[in-house]
Amino acid sequence: MRKRHIAILGSTGSIGRQTLDVVRQHPDRFDVELITANNSSDLLIQQAREFDVNNVVICNPDKYAQVRDALADTDSKVFCGIDSACSLAAADGVDIVVAAMVGFSGLRPTLAAIEAGKIIALANKETLVAAGSLVMERSRSCNAPILPVDSEHSAIFQCLLAAQGNKLEKIHLTASGGPFRNWTKAQIETATKADALKHPNWSMGAKITIDSATMMNKGFEVIEARWLFGTGADRIHVVVHPESVIHSMVEFEDGAVLAQLGCPDMREPIQLALSFPERLPLNNRKLDFAALGSLTFQEPDLERFPALGLAFESLKKGGNVPCILNAANEACVAAYLQDRIGFYDIPAIARDCMATVPFIAQPTLEEVFSSHEEALARANGLIEKIAR
Ligand code: MG
């Protein structure tokens, strides 16, 4: 395999740091061409030095001078702002773009990379939630394959390699159930931010950890699966699997089910996306089945986790409704992380936004952005009314 040149959008986040750990283990295979961060200037500087990165983007203009001065004695070129991230991700020296920014902000740079025909290692599921139809259409027309980094979708992708053109009957999307899996509704109602941030199996950023606690993350993964694999919502079945050992499964018409298993470690799907179709050694923990003993499964509870039902509903309504759901959720999670609203205010506000922000059946990209802004404004208005 020729050395692959990687751009990491969001290199200081959880996925970004684990991507660099994969690169650290295979310096002969990967070269880091571009890293970008929103705010974390100190870590960005450190990463640029360690990996001798050609282009470095800090999005926050207030941090630009600090990063530029700190890297003045290196060969790294330092840029500022999201437009630089978009154009550098699309530049000639890049083979693969790891889309690991948080939330809707990942949409524009990911689209820029798709339009330049790059291979996309997609960790930013909000891109597909907000604009799945448009993003997949451009991925096809621009010959820019999207390789999933989300562990469930990587699992489904891997299982489908064995499909040999046979029809997929069903996807079984596994969910850990998050920190509140065994909590009653009354307990969840009064859960603090600290409780919600304690994910039992996966170590992730704050936004996705809250999304896991509400199970909005699983809902978004249903939408992500719909777009990546062209499967209707009625063929995507969420099953709670607390051990997070089976990363997801596919079922064929004859009832045969294929599963992909592994210890919960995001570096595994990240590395596969970077080296695909090759597999490389990885210094992760390997499965010990006897030590595991058993794997367990249960139905998700939509009563305690209404966000999951909202995601299915948004997919059924289609158009800009998933985009509205995503925007409302971003506003609510930010407010919840500031202790301004309660846990169940998140789905309640999202439901309101889905019903009130005007429906658009086939939104253009401009309409995706305007729907996002409208839903943010509506959600923030509702948050203001109830904020403590
Ligand atoms: Mg996932």
Side-chain angles (χ1 to χ4, degrees), residues 174-197:
T174 52
S176 70
F180 303 144
R181 182 173 54 89
N182 291 324
W183 290 35
T184 65
K185 197 163 184 192
Q187 288 173 315
I188 298 173
E189 225 144 50
T190 58
T192 64
K193 170 177 94 179
D195 297 322
L197 284 171

mmCIF file with all atom_site columns, all heavy atoms in Angstrom, residues 174-197:
data_model
loop_
_atom_site.group_PDB
_atom_site.id
_atom_site.type_symbol
_atom_site.label_atom_id
_atom_site.label_alt_id
_atom_site.label_comp_id
_atom_site.label_asym_id
_atom_site.label_entity_id
_atom_site.label_seq_id
_atom_site.pdbx_PDB_ins_code
_atom_site.Cartn_x
_atom_site.Cartn_y
_atom_site.Cartn_z
_atom_site.occupancy
_atom_site.B_iso_or_equiv
_atom_site.pdbx_formal_charge
_atom_site.auth_seq_id
_atom_site.auth_comp_id
_atom_site.auth_asym_id
_atom_site.auth_atom_id
_atom_site.pdbx_PDB_model_num
ATOM 1   N N   . THR A 1 174 ? -26.885 -2.262 17.274 1.00 0.00 ? 174 THR A N   1
ATOM 2   C CA  . THR A 1 174 ? -26.781 -2.458 18.716 1.00 0.00 ? 174 THR A CA  1
ATOM 3   C C   . THR A 1 174 ? -26.559 -1.127 19.439 1.00 0.00 ? 174 THR A C   1
ATOM 4   O O   . THR A 1 174 ? -25.959 -0.203 18.909 1.00 0.00 ? 174 THR A O   1
ATOM 5   C CB  . THR A 1 174 ? -25.641 -3.436 19.088 1.00 0.00 ? 174 THR A CB  1
ATOM 6   O OG1 . THR A 1 174 ? -24.441 -2.997 18.461 1.00 0.00 ? 174 THR A OG1 1
ATOM 7   C CG2 . THR A 1 174 ? -25.962 -4.838 18.641 1.00 0.00 ? 174 THR A CG2 1
ATOM 8   N N   . ALA A 1 175 ? -27.074 -1.066 20.656 1.00 0.00 ? 175 ALA A N   1
ATOM 9   C CA  . ALA A 1 175 ? -26.976 0.132  21.499 1.00 0.00 ? 175 ALA A CA  1
ATOM 10  C C   . ALA A 1 175 ? -26.538 -0.295 22.889 1.00 0.00 ? 175 ALA A C   1
ATOM 11  O O   . ALA A 1 175 ? -27.058 -1.277 23.414 1.00 0.00 ? 175 ALA A O   1
ATOM 12  C CB  . ALA A 1 175 ? -28.336 0.826  21.580 1.00 0.00 ? 175 ALA A CB  1
ATOM 13  N N   . SER A 1 176 ? -25.602 0.419  23.476 1.00 0.00 ? 176 SER A N   1
ATOM 14  C CA  . SER A 1 176 ? -25.186 0.042  24.841 1.00 0.00 ? 176 SER A CA  1
ATOM 15  C C   . SER A 1 176 ? -26.314 0.331  25.836 1.00 0.00 ? 176 SER A C   1
ATOM 16  O O   . SER A 1 176 ? -26.401 -0.304 26.879 1.00 0.00 ? 176 SER A O   1
ATOM 17  C CB  . SER A 1 176 ? -23.945 0.822  25.244 1.00 0.00 ? 176 SER A CB  1
ATOM 18  O OG  . SER A 1 176 ? -24.297 2.182  25.432 1.00 0.00 ? 176 SER A OG  1
ATOM 19  N N   . GLY A 1 177 ? -27.161 1.297  25.481 1.00 0.00 ? 177 GLY A N   1
ATOM 20  C CA  . GLY A 1 177 ? -28.209 1.703  26.428 1.00 0.00 ? 177 GLY A CA  1
ATOM 21  C C   . GLY A 1 177 ? -27.784 2.887  27.276 1.00 0.00 ? 177 GLY A C   1
ATOM 22  O O   . GLY A 1 177 ? -28.598 3.499  27.963 1.00 0.00 ? 177 GLY A O   1
ATOM 23  N N   . GLY A 1 178 ? -26.490 3.211  27.239 1.00 0.00 ? 178 GLY A N   1
ATOM 24  C CA  . GLY A 1 178 ? -25.992 4.395  27.943 1.00 0.00 ? 178 GLY A CA  1
ATOM 25  C C   . GLY A 1 178 ? -26.029 4.262  29.452 1.00 0.00 ? 178 GLY A C   1
ATOM 26  O O   . GLY A 1 178 ? -26.375 3.208  29.994 1.00 0.00 ? 178 GLY A O   1
ATOM 27  N N   . PRO A 1 179 ? -25.707 5.340  30.167 1.00 0.00 ? 179 PRO A N   1
ATOM 28  C CA  . PRO A 1 179 ? -25.598 5.279  31.632 1.00 0.00 ? 179 PRO A CA  1
ATOM 29  C C   . PRO A 1 179 ? -26.945 5.077  32.330 1.00 0.00 ? 179 PRO A C   1
ATOM 30  O O   . PRO A 1 179 ? -26.982 4.665  33.482 1.00 0.00 ? 179 PRO A O   1
ATOM 31  C CB  . PRO A 1 179 ? -25.010 6.649  31.991 1.00 0.00 ? 179 PRO A CB  1
ATOM 32  C CG  . PRO A 1 179 ? -25.331 7.532  30.833 1.00 0.00 ? 179 PRO A CG  1
ATOM 33  C CD  . PRO A 1 179 ? -25.329 6.651  29.625 1.00 0.00 ? 179 PRO A CD  1
ATOM 34  N N   . PHE A 1 180 ? -28.060 5.365  31.657 1.00 0.00 ? 180 PHE A N   1
ATOM 35  C CA  . PHE A 1 180 ? -29.373 5.301  32.315 1.00 0.00 ? 180 PHE A CA  1
ATOM 36  C C   . PHE A 1 180 ? -30.181 4.071  31.910 1.00 0.00 ? 180 PHE A C   1
ATOM 37  O O   . PHE A 1 180 ? -31.393 4.023  32.119 1.00 0.00 ? 180 PHE A O   1
ATOM 38  C CB  . PHE A 1 180 ? -30.179 6.571  32.003 1.00 0.00 ? 180 PHE A CB  1
ATOM 39  C CG  . PHE A 1 180 ? -29.483 7.835  32.411 1.00 0.00 ? 180 PHE A CG  1
ATOM 40  C CD1 . PHE A 1 180 ? -29.594 8.987  31.666 1.00 0.00 ? 180 PHE A CD1 1
ATOM 41  C CD2 . PHE A 1 180 ? -28.711 7.857  33.573 1.00 0.00 ? 180 PHE A CD2 1
ATOM 42  C CE1 . PHE A 1 180 ? -28.949 10.157 32.042 1.00 0.00 ? 180 PHE A CE1 1
ATOM 43  C CE2 . PHE A 1 180 ? -28.060 9.022  33.964 1.00 0.00 ? 180 PHE A CE2 1
ATOM 44  C CZ  . PHE A 1 180 ? -28.170 10.173 33.188 1.00 0.00 ? 180 PHE A CZ  1
ATOM 45  N N   . ARG A 1 181 ? -29.498 3.100  31.362 1.00 0.00 ? 181 ARG A N   1
ATOM 46  C CA  . ARG A 1 181 ? -30.186 1.906  30.858 1.00 0.00 ? 181 ARG A CA  1
ATOM 47  C C   . ARG A 1 181 ? -31.102 1.288  31.914 1.00 0.00 ? 181 ARG A C   1
ATOM 48  O O   . ARG A 1 181 ? -32.227 0.904  31.621 1.00 0.00 ? 181 ARG A O   1
ATOM 49  C CB  . ARG A 1 181 ? -29.146 0.878  30.393 1.00 0.00 ? 181 ARG A CB  1
ATOM 50  C CG  . ARG A 1 181 ? -29.716 -0.390 29.816 1.00 0.00 ? 181 ARG A CG  1
ATOM 51  C CD  . ARG A 1 181 ? -28.614 -1.253 29.240 1.00 0.00 ? 181 ARG A CD  1
ATOM 52  N NE  . ARG A 1 181 ? -27.557 -1.516 30.210 1.00 0.00 ? 181 ARG A NE  1
ATOM 53  C CZ  . ARG A 1 181 ? -27.556 -2.539 31.064 1.00 0.00 ? 181 ARG A CZ  1
ATOM 54  N NH1 . ARG A 1 181 ? -28.544 -3.392 31.072 1.00 0.00 ? 181 ARG A NH1 1
ATOM 55  N NH2 . ARG A 1 181 ? -26.562 -2.696 31.914 1.00 0.00 ? 181 ARG A NH2 1
ATOM 56  N N   . ASN A 1 182 ? -30.637 1.215  33.160 1.00 0.00 ? 182 ASN A N   1
ATOM 57  C CA  . ASN A 1 182 ? -31.423 0.569  34.216 1.00 0.00 ? 182 ASN A CA  1
ATOM 58  C C   . ASN A 1 182 ? -32.086 1.553  35.174 1.00 0.00 ? 182 ASN A C   1
ATOM 59  O O   . ASN A 1 182 ? -32.591 1.160  36.219 1.00 0.00 ? 182 ASN A O   1
ATOM 60  C CB  . ASN A 1 182 ? -30.531 -0.393 35.014 1.00 0.00 ? 182 ASN A CB  1
ATOM 61  C CG  . ASN A 1 182 ? -30.140 -1.597 34.178 1.00 0.00 ? 182 ASN A CG  1
ATOM 62  O OD1 . ASN A 1 182 ? -30.938 -2.082 33.371 1.00 0.00 ? 182 ASN A OD1 1
ATOM 63  N ND2 . ASN A 1 182 ? -28.915 -2.066 34.330 1.00 0.00 ? 182 ASN A ND2 1
ATOM 64  N N   . TRP A 1 183 ? -32.067 2.830  34.825 1.00 0.00 ? 183 TRP A N   1
ATOM 65  C CA  . TRP A 1 183 ? -32.684 3.822  35.694 1.00 0.00 ? 183 TRP A CA  1
ATOM 66  C C   . TRP A 1 183 ? -34.184 3.924  35.379 1.00 0.00 ? 183 TRP A C   1
ATOM 67  O O   . TRP A 1 183 ? -34.602 3.738  34.253 1.00 0.00 ? 183 TRP A O   1
ATOM 68  C CB  . TRP A 1 183 ? -32.054 5.197  35.478 1.00 0.00 ? 183 TRP A CB  1
ATOM 69  C CG  . TRP A 1 183 ? -30.639 5.335  35.960 1.00 0.00 ? 183 TRP A CG  1
ATOM 70  C CD1 . TRP A 1 183 ? -29.658 4.385  35.942 1.00 0.00 ? 183 TRP A CD1 1
ATOM 71  C CD2 . TRP A 1 183 ? -30.036 6.505  36.518 1.00 0.00 ? 183 TRP A CD2 1
ATOM 72  N NE1 . TRP A 1 183 ? -28.490 4.886  36.441 1.00 0.00 ? 183 TRP A NE1 1
ATOM 73  C CE2 . TRP A 1 183 ? -28.691 6.193  36.804 1.00 0.00 ? 183 TRP A CE2 1
ATOM 74  C CE3 . TRP A 1 183 ? -30.493 7.800  36.789 1.00 0.00 ? 183 TRP A CE3 1
ATOM 75  C CZ2 . TRP A 1 183 ? -27.807 7.122  37.354 1.00 0.00 ? 183 TRP A CZ2 1
ATOM 76  C CZ3 . TRP A 1 183 ? -29.616 8.724  37.337 1.00 0.00 ? 183 TRP A CZ3 1
ATOM 77  C CH2 . TRP A 1 183 ? -28.283 8.383  37.627 1.00 0.00 ? 183 TRP A CH2 1
ATOM 78  N N   . THR A 1 184 ? -34.985 4.256  36.406 1.00 0.00 ? 184 THR A N   1
ATOM 79  C CA  . THR A 1 184 ? -36.397 4.496  36.165 1.00 0.00 ? 184 THR A CA  1
ATOM 80  C C   . THR A 1 184 ? -36.554 5.890  35.565 1.00 0.00 ? 184 THR A C   1
ATOM 81  O O   . THR A 1 184 ? -35.630 6.716  35.629 1.00 0.00 ? 184 THR A O   1
ATOM 82  C CB  . THR A 1 184 ? -37.202 4.479  37.482 1.00 0.00 ? 184 THR A CB  1
ATOM 83  O OG1 . THR A 1 184 ? -36.760 5.584  38.293 1.00 0.00 ? 184 THR A OG1 1
ATOM 84  C CG2 . THR A 1 184 ? -37.004 3.179  38.225 1.00 0.00 ? 184 THR A CG2 1
ATOM 85  N N   . LYS A 1 185 ? -37.755 6.140  35.010 1.00 0.00 ? 185 LYS A N   1
ATOM 86  C CA  . LYS A 1 185 ? -38.005 7.443  34.402 1.00 0.00 ? 185 LYS A CA  1
ATOM 87  C C   . LYS A 1 185 ? -37.859 8.564  35.442 1.00 0.00 ? 185 LYS A C   1
ATOM 88  O O   . LYS A 1 185 ? -37.294 9.622  35.149 1.00 0.00 ? 185 LYS A O   1
ATOM 89  C CB  . LYS A 1 185 ? -39.406 7.470  33.780 1.00 0.00 ? 185 LYS A CB  1
ATOM 90  C CG  . LYS A 1 185 ? -39.531 8.609  32.814 1.00 0.00 ? 185 LYS A CG  1
ATOM 91  C CD  . LYS A 1 185 ? -40.704 8.490  31.872 1.00 0.00 ? 185 LYS A CD  1
ATOM 92  C CE  . LYS A 1 185 ? -40.627 9.667  30.899 1.00 0.00 ? 185 LYS A CE  1
ATOM 93  N NZ  . LYS A 1 185 ? -41.813 9.853  30.111 1.00 0.00 ? 185 LYS A NZ  1
ATOM 94  N N   . ALA A 1 186 ? -38.332 8.312  36.655 1.00 0.00 ? 186 ALA A N   1
ATOM 95  C CA  . ALA A 1 186 ? -38.239 9.330  37.713 1.00 0.00 ? 186 ALA A CA  1
ATOM 96  C C   . ALA A 1 186 ? -36.781 9.619  38.060 1.00 0.00 ? 186 ALA A C   1
ATOM 97  O O   . ALA A 1 186 ? -36.403 10.780 38.289 1.00 0.00 ? 186 ALA A O   1
ATOM 98  C CB  . ALA A 1 186 ? -38.992 8.857  38.953 1.00 0.00 ? 186 ALA A CB  1
ATOM 99  N N   . GLN A 1 187 ? -35.964 8.586  38.086 1.00 0.00 ? 187 GLN A N   1
ATOM 100 C CA  . GLN A 1 187 ? -34.540 8.800  38.361 1.00 0.00 ? 187 GLN A CA  1
ATOM 101 C C   . GLN A 1 187 ? -33.865 9.585  37.230 1.00 0.00 ? 187 GLN A C   1
ATOM 102 O O   . GLN A 1 187 ? -33.076 10.493 37.477 1.00 0.00 ? 187 GLN A O   1
ATOM 103 C CB  . GLN A 1 187 ? -33.819 7.452  38.529 1.00 0.00 ? 187 GLN A CB  1
ATOM 104 C CG  . GLN A 1 187 ? -34.137 6.718  39.825 1.00 0.00 ? 187 GLN A CG  1
ATOM 105 C CD  . GLN A 1 187 ? -33.533 5.321  39.838 1.00 0.00 ? 187 GLN A CD  1
ATOM 106 O OE1 . GLN A 1 187 ? -33.617 4.581  38.857 1.00 0.00 ? 187 GLN A OE1 1
ATOM 107 N NE2 . GLN A 1 187 ? -32.914 4.955  40.950 1.00 0.00 ? 187 GLN A NE2 1
ATOM 108 N N   . ILE A 1 188 ? -34.209 9.200  35.992 1.00 0.00 ? 188 ILE A N   1
ATOM 109 C CA  . ILE A 1 188 ? -33.598 9.870  34.838 1.00 0.00 ? 188 ILE A CA  1
ATOM 110 C C   . ILE A 1 188 ? -33.982 11.347 34.824 1.00 0.00 ? 188 ILE A C   1
ATOM 111 O O   . ILE A 1 188 ? -33.181 12.214 34.502 1.00 0.00 ? 188 ILE A O   1
ATOM 112 C CB  . ILE A 1 188 ? -34.015 9.189  33.510 1.00 0.00 ? 188 ILE A CB  1
ATOM 113 C CG1 . ILE A 1 188 ? -33.526 7.733  33.464 1.00 0.00 ? 188 ILE A CG1 1
ATOM 114 C CG2 . ILE A 1 188 ? -33.453 9.954  32.310 1.00 0.00 ? 188 ILE A CG2 1
ATOM 115 C CD1 . ILE A 1 188 ? -34.034 6.941  32.257 1.00 0.00 ? 188 ILE A CD1 1
ATOM 116 N N   . GLU A 1 189 ? -35.229 11.618 35.190 1.00 0.00 ? 189 GLU A N   1
ATOM 117 C CA  . GLU A 1 189 ? -35.749 12.985 35.195 1.00 0.00 ? 189 GLU A CA  1
ATOM 118 C C   . GLU A 1 189 ? -34.855 13.933 35.981 1.00 0.00 ? 189 GLU A C   1
ATOM 119 O O   . GLU A 1 189 ? -34.663 15.081 35.611 1.00 0.00 ? 189 GLU A O   1
ATOM 120 C CB  . GLU A 1 189 ? -37.146 12.979 35.834 1.00 0.00 ? 189 GLU A CB  1
ATOM 121 C CG  . GLU A 1 189 ? -38.162 13.787 35.091 1.00 0.00 ? 189 GLU A CG  1
ATOM 122 C CD  . GLU A 1 189 ? -39.541 13.128 35.134 1.00 0.00 ? 189 GLU A CD  1
ATOM 123 O OE1 . GLU A 1 189 ? -39.980 12.779 36.247 1.00 0.00 ? 189 GLU A OE1 1
ATOM 124 O OE2 . GLU A 1 189 ? -40.140 12.961 34.058 1.00 0.00 ? 189 GLU A OE2 1
ATOM 125 N N   . THR A 1 190 ? -34.308 13.442 37.071 1.00 0.00 ? 190 THR A N   1
ATOM 126 C CA  . THR A 1 190 ? -33.515 14.309 37.941 1.00 0.00 ? 190 THR A CA  1
ATOM 127 C C   . THR A 1 190 ? -32.013 14.056 37.788 1.00 0.00 ? 190 THR A C   1
ATOM 128 O O   . THR A 1 190 ? -31.215 14.509 38.603 1.00 0.00 ? 190 THR A O   1
ATOM 129 C CB  . THR A 1 190 ? -33.902 14.074 39.423 1.00 0.00 ? 190 THR A CB  1
ATOM 130 O OG1 . THR A 1 190 ? -33.693 12.691 39.713 1.00 0.00 ? 190 THR A OG1 1
ATOM 131 C CG2 . THR A 1 190 ? -35.353 14.418 39.671 1.00 0.00 ? 190 THR A CG2 1
ATOM 132 N N   . ALA A 1 191 ? -31.651 13.345 36.724 1.00 0.00 ? 191 ALA A N   1
ATOM 133 C CA  . ALA A 1 191 ? -30.232 13.035 36.516 1.00 0.00 ? 191 ALA A CA  1
ATOM 134 C C   . ALA A 1 191 ? -29.427 14.314 36.294 1.00 0.00 ? 191 ALA A C   1
ATOM 135 O O   . ALA A 1 191 ? -29.897 15.246 35.653 1.00 0.00 ? 191 ALA A O   1
ATOM 136 C CB  . ALA A 1 191 ? -30.079 12.135 35.303 1.00 0.00 ? 191 ALA A CB  1
ATOM 137 N N   . THR A 1 192 ? -28.255 14.337 36.849 1.00 0.00 ? 192 THR A N   1
ATOM 138 C CA  . THR A 1 192 ? -27.391 15.499 36.642 1.00 0.00 ? 192 THR A CA  1
ATOM 139 C C   . THR A 1 192 ? -26.543 15.273 35.400 1.00 0.00 ? 192 THR A C   1
ATOM 140 O O   . THR A 1 192 ? -26.425 14.167 34.890 1.00 0.00 ? 192 THR A O   1
ATOM 141 C CB  . THR A 1 192 ? -26.438 15.703 37.830 1.00 0.00 ? 192 THR A CB  1
ATOM 142 O OG1 . THR A 1 192 ? -25.561 14.571 37.887 1.00 0.00 ? 192 THR A OG1 1
ATOM 143 C CG2 . THR A 1 192 ? -27.198 15.837 39.129 1.00 0.00 ? 192 THR A CG2 1
ATOM 144 N N   . LYS A 1 193 ? -25.919 16.353 34.969 1.00 0.00 ? 193 LYS A N   1
ATOM 145 C CA  . LYS A 1 193 ? -25.013 16.317 33.839 1.00 0.00 ? 193 LYS A CA  1
ATOM 146 C C   . LYS A 1 193 ? -23.883 15.322 34.109 1.00 0.00 ? 193 LYS A C   1
ATOM 147 O O   . LYS A 1 193 ? -23.475 14.572 33.224 1.00 0.00 ? 193 LYS A O   1
ATOM 148 C CB  . LYS A 1 193 ? -24.495 17.745 33.667 1.00 0.00 ? 193 LYS A CB  1
ATOM 149 C CG  . LYS A 1 193 ? -23.388 17.958 32.746 1.00 0.00 ? 193 LYS A CG  1
ATOM 150 C CD  . LYS A 1 193 ? -23.072 19.435 32.667 1.00 0.00 ? 193 LYS A CD  1
ATOM 151 C CE  . LYS A 1 193 ? -21.967 19.814 33.647 1.00 0.00 ? 193 LYS A CE  1
ATOM 152 N NZ  . LYS A 1 193 ? -21.629 21.249 33.576 1.00 0.00 ? 193 LYS A NZ  1
ATOM 153 N N   . ALA A 1 194 ? -23.417 15.302 35.354 1.00 0.00 ? 194 ALA A N   1
ATOM 154 C CA  . ALA A 1 194 ? -22.314 14.393 35.708 1.00 0.00 ? 194 ALA A CA  1
ATOM 155 C C   . ALA A 1 194 ? -22.737 12.933 35.533 1.00 0.00 ? 194 ALA A C   1
ATOM 156 O O   . ALA A 1 194 ? -21.959 12.106 35.053 1.00 0.00 ? 194 ALA A O   1
ATOM 157 C CB  . ALA A 1 194 ? -21.866 14.644 37.142 1.00 0.00 ? 194 ALA A CB  1
ATOM 158 N N   . ASP A 1 195 ? -23.998 12.610 35.910 1.00 0.00 ? 195 ASP A N   1
ATOM 159 C CA  . ASP A 1 195 ? -24.507 11.245 35.712 1.00 0.00 ? 195 ASP A CA  1
ATOM 160 C C   . ASP A 1 195 ? -24.534 10.911 34.225 1.00 0.00 ? 195 ASP A C   1
ATOM 161 O O   . ASP A 1 195 ? -24.131 9.819  33.814 1.00 0.00 ? 195 ASP A O   1
ATOM 162 C CB  . ASP A 1 195 ? -25.949 11.123 36.243 1.00 0.00 ? 195 ASP A CB  1
ATOM 163 C CG  . ASP A 1 195 ? -26.045 11.363 37.745 1.00 0.00 ? 195 ASP A CG  1
ATOM 164 O OD1 . ASP A 1 195 ? -25.133 10.923 38.460 1.00 0.00 ? 195 ASP A OD1 1
ATOM 165 O OD2 . ASP A 1 195 ? -27.040 11.977 38.182 1.00 0.00 ? 195 ASP A OD2 1
ATOM 166 N N   . ALA A 1 196 ? -25.032 11.851 33.438 1.00 0.00 ? 196 ALA A N   1
ATOM 167 C CA  . ALA A 1 196 ? -25.194 11.616 32.005 1.00 0.00 ? 196 ALA A CA  1
ATOM 168 C C   . ALA A 1 196 ? -23.848 11.465 31.304 1.00 0.00 ? 196 ALA A C   1
ATOM 169 O O   . ALA A 1 196 ? -23.736 10.794 30.278 1.00 0.00 ? 196 ALA A O   1
ATOM 170 C CB  . ALA A 1 196 ? -25.994 12.757 31.373 1.00 0.00 ? 196 ALA A CB  1
ATOM 171 N N   . LEU A 1 197 ? -22.831 12.091 31.857 1.00 0.00 ? 197 LEU A N   1
ATOM 172 C CA  . LEU A 1 197 ? -21.512 12.053 31.202 1.00 0.00 ? 197 LEU A CA  1
ATOM 173 C C   . LEU A 1 197 ? -20.723 10.782 31.518 1.00 0.00 ? 197 LEU A C   1
ATOM 174 O O   . LEU A 1 197 ? -19.639 10.583 30.990 1.00 0.00 ? 197 LEU A O   1
ATOM 175 C CB  . LEU A 1 197 ? -20.699 13.293 31.594 1.00 0.00 ? 197 LEU A CB  1
ATOM 176 C CG  . LEU A 1 197 ? -21.121 14.596 30.886 1.00 0.00 ? 197 LEU A CG  1
ATOM 177 C CD1 . LEU A 1 197 ? -20.412 15.799 31.489 1.00 0.00 ? 197 LEU A CD1 1
ATOM 178 C CD2 . LEU A 1 197 ? -20.862 14.528 29.381 1.00 0.00 ? 197 LEU A CD2 1
#
